[in-house]
Amino acid sequence: HSQVAQGSLKKHVCSNMAELQRANTQMEMQQAPVKACSSVIFAVICCFWIPLLFFMAAANVLDTCEADNFKLWLQIYGIVPMVAGLVLQLVVAVCACMGDRDVFKMGLRLQTLPMLLSLCLLVWGWVEYTKTDGKTCVDPDDGINPRTFALVFLILNSISSPCVLILICTQMAAPTALASAGASAANSQNQEAQMFSNEPAQVVGAGA
């Protein structure tokens, strides 16, 4: 009898987990259009200066620079990953509006493409940077130093690259895992808040 009870309990837990995942996916599908619009607005208002700085740095690369593609890398790295991420946000929103969970999850997996692109551009950037020279590539009296600017971003993004790889693997394996974790945390907080809000009423009832 204990084995039968344990088996039924496992089935019940598994069914509850599956229902929770479906509910979280449905909730994320409903929120996807709002997230896409807010991401585009946020990027345009708050992050426009990043591509601007990259293009300003690219404009200061001298024609005598040994690295023929260093200027091109600055221009591509400054704008392409950001634009690709925003475009895929809109693609995910369209997939959510279609109402198909499988298509929506495929759209979430496609969001790893800008991250993979950023890692590839990071490697290309290091290759181009090693070919540059401070004397033939940079005019010290002309605005942003492209070598110093590129080095700062290459170091920062190289430090964060392991986290990006983990995020890519997680997104590919379980595209709604992060949203499910967030929803579970929110549900637990709501339950705790309800418990705390009910405690004073119970105390008053007991005192009466």
Side-chain angles (χ1 to χ4, degrees), residues 17 20-21 24 27 176-192:
M17 291 179 63
L20 179 61
Q21 289 178 354
N24 291 334
M27 183 183 301
T176 59
L178 296 177
S180 299
S184 299
N187 291 333
S188 63
Q189 290 177 356
N190 291 334
Q191 291 176 358
E192 291 178 358

Short mmCIF file of all heavy atoms in Angstrom, two decimals, residues 17 20-21 24 27 176-192:
data_model
loop_
_atom_site.label_atom_id
_atom_site.label_comp_id
_atom_site.label_asym_id
_atom_site.label_seq_id
_atom_site.Cartn_x
_atom_site.Cartn_y
_atom_site.Cartn_z
N MET A 17 3.51 19.85 -11.47
CA MET A 17 4.65 20.55 -12.08
C MET A 17 4.39 20.85 -13.55
O MET A 17 4.70 21.94 -14.05
CB MET A 17 5.92 19.73 -11.92
CG MET A 17 6.42 19.62 -10.49
SD MET A 17 7.92 18.61 -10.35
CE MET A 17 9.07 19.58 -11.33
N LEU A 20 1.99 23.68 -13.76
CA LEU A 20 2.65 24.94 -13.41
C LEU A 20 3.49 25.45 -14.57
O LEU A 20 3.49 26.65 -14.88
CB LEU A 20 3.52 24.74 -12.17
CG LEU A 20 4.30 25.97 -11.68
CD1 LEU A 20 3.34 27.09 -11.31
CD2 LEU A 20 5.20 25.61 -10.51
N GLN A 21 4.20 24.53 -15.24
CA GLN A 21 5.00 24.94 -16.40
C GLN A 21 4.13 25.48 -17.52
O GLN A 21 4.47 26.48 -18.16
CB GLN A 21 5.83 23.75 -16.89
CG GLN A 21 6.97 23.36 -15.95
CD GLN A 21 7.74 22.17 -16.45
OE1 GLN A 21 7.36 21.54 -17.45
NE2 GLN A 21 8.82 21.82 -15.76
N ASN A 24 2.98 28.90 -16.48
CA ASN A 24 4.04 29.89 -16.59
C ASN A 24 4.32 30.24 -18.05
O ASN A 24 4.57 31.41 -18.38
CB ASN A 24 5.32 29.35 -15.93
CG ASN A 24 5.20 29.25 -14.42
OD1 ASN A 24 4.41 29.97 -13.81
ND2 ASN A 24 5.96 28.36 -13.82
N MET A 27 1.58 32.51 -19.18
CA MET A 27 1.76 33.84 -18.61
C MET A 27 2.86 34.60 -19.35
O MET A 27 2.72 35.80 -19.64
CB MET A 27 2.10 33.73 -17.11
CG MET A 27 2.23 35.08 -16.41
SD MET A 27 2.72 34.87 -14.68
CE MET A 27 1.35 33.87 -14.08
N THR A 176 11.81 28.33 -21.07
CA THR A 176 10.96 29.03 -20.10
C THR A 176 11.41 28.82 -18.67
O THR A 176 10.68 29.14 -17.73
CB THR A 176 9.50 28.56 -20.24
OG1 THR A 176 9.44 27.14 -20.02
CG2 THR A 176 8.95 28.88 -21.62
N ALA A 177 12.62 28.29 -18.48
CA ALA A 177 13.08 27.97 -17.12
C ALA A 177 13.23 29.22 -16.27
O ALA A 177 12.82 29.25 -15.11
CB ALA A 177 14.40 27.22 -17.17
N LEU A 178 13.81 30.27 -16.85
CA LEU A 178 14.02 31.49 -16.07
C LEU A 178 12.70 32.13 -15.69
O LEU A 178 12.52 32.59 -14.56
CB LEU A 178 14.88 32.48 -16.88
CG LEU A 178 16.30 32.00 -17.20
CD1 LEU A 178 17.01 33.05 -18.07
CD2 LEU A 178 17.08 31.76 -15.92
N ALA A 179 11.77 32.13 -16.63
CA ALA A 179 10.45 32.69 -16.33
C ALA A 179 9.73 31.85 -15.28
O ALA A 179 9.05 32.39 -14.40
CB ALA A 179 9.62 32.78 -17.59
N SER A 180 9.88 30.53 -15.35
CA SER A 180 9.25 29.66 -14.37
C SER A 180 9.82 29.88 -12.98
O SER A 180 9.10 29.91 -11.99
CB SER A 180 9.43 28.19 -14.78
OG SER A 180 8.83 27.94 -16.03
N ALA A 181 11.14 30.07 -12.92
CA ALA A 181 11.77 30.34 -11.64
C ALA A 181 11.28 31.65 -11.06
O ALA A 181 10.99 31.76 -9.87
CB ALA A 181 13.29 30.35 -11.79
N GLY A 182 11.18 32.66 -11.92
CA GLY A 182 10.67 33.95 -11.45
C GLY A 182 9.24 33.87 -11.00
O GLY A 182 8.84 34.46 -9.99
N ALA A 183 8.43 33.13 -11.75
CA ALA A 183 7.02 32.99 -11.36
C ALA A 183 6.89 32.22 -10.05
O ALA A 183 6.06 32.55 -9.21
CB ALA A 183 6.25 32.29 -12.47
N SER A 184 7.70 31.18 -9.85
CA SER A 184 7.66 30.41 -8.62
C SER A 184 8.05 31.28 -7.43
O SER A 184 7.44 31.21 -6.36
CB SER A 184 8.59 29.20 -8.73
OG SER A 184 8.18 28.35 -9.78
N ALA A 185 9.10 32.10 -7.64
CA ALA A 185 9.51 33.00 -6.56
C ALA A 185 8.41 34.01 -6.24
O ALA A 185 8.14 34.31 -5.07
CB ALA A 185 10.79 33.73 -6.96
N ALA A 186 7.76 34.53 -7.27
CA ALA A 186 6.68 35.49 -7.05
C ALA A 186 5.51 34.83 -6.32
O ALA A 186 4.90 35.42 -5.43
CB ALA A 186 6.22 36.07 -8.38
N ASN A 187 5.18 33.58 -6.70
CA ASN A 187 4.09 32.87 -6.04
C ASN A 187 4.40 32.62 -4.57
O ASN A 187 3.54 32.76 -3.71
CB ASN A 187 3.81 31.55 -6.76
CG ASN A 187 3.19 31.76 -8.13
OD1 ASN A 187 2.54 32.77 -8.38
ND2 ASN A 187 3.40 30.79 -9.02
N SER A 188 5.65 32.24 -4.28
CA SER A 188 6.03 32.00 -2.89
C SER A 188 5.96 33.28 -2.07
O SER A 188 5.52 33.27 -0.92
CB SER A 188 7.44 31.39 -2.83
OG SER A 188 8.39 32.31 -3.34
N GLN A 189 6.38 34.40 -2.68
CA GLN A 189 6.29 35.68 -1.97
C GLN A 189 4.84 36.06 -1.71
O GLN A 189 4.50 36.57 -0.64
CB GLN A 189 6.99 36.77 -2.78
CG GLN A 189 8.50 36.61 -2.83
CD GLN A 189 9.15 37.66 -3.70
OE1 GLN A 189 8.48 38.47 -4.33
NE2 GLN A 189 10.48 37.67 -3.71
N ASN A 190 3.97 35.81 -2.69
CA ASN A 190 2.55 36.12 -2.50
C ASN A 190 1.95 35.26 -1.39
O ASN A 190 1.15 35.75 -0.58
CB ASN A 190 1.79 35.90 -3.80
CG ASN A 190 2.16 36.92 -4.85
OD1 ASN A 190 2.58 38.03 -4.53
ND2 ASN A 190 2.00 36.55 -6.12
N GLN A 191 2.35 33.99 -1.35
CA GLN A 191 1.83 33.12 -0.31
C GLN A 191 2.29 33.58 1.07
O GLN A 191 1.53 33.58 2.04
CB GLN A 191 2.26 31.68 -0.57
CG GLN A 191 1.59 31.06 -1.80
CD GLN A 191 2.11 29.67 -2.09
OE1 GLN A 191 3.00 29.17 -1.40
NE2 GLN A 191 1.55 29.04 -3.12
N GLU A 192 3.58 33.97 1.16
CA GLU A 192 4.09 34.47 2.44
C GLU A 192 3.36 35.74 2.85
O GLU A 192 3.03 35.93 4.03
CB GLU A 192 5.59 34.72 2.33
CG GLU A 192 6.41 33.45 2.19
CD GLU A 192 7.89 33.74 2.03
OE1 GLU A 192 8.26 34.93 1.99
OE2 GLU A 192 8.68 32.78 1.95
#
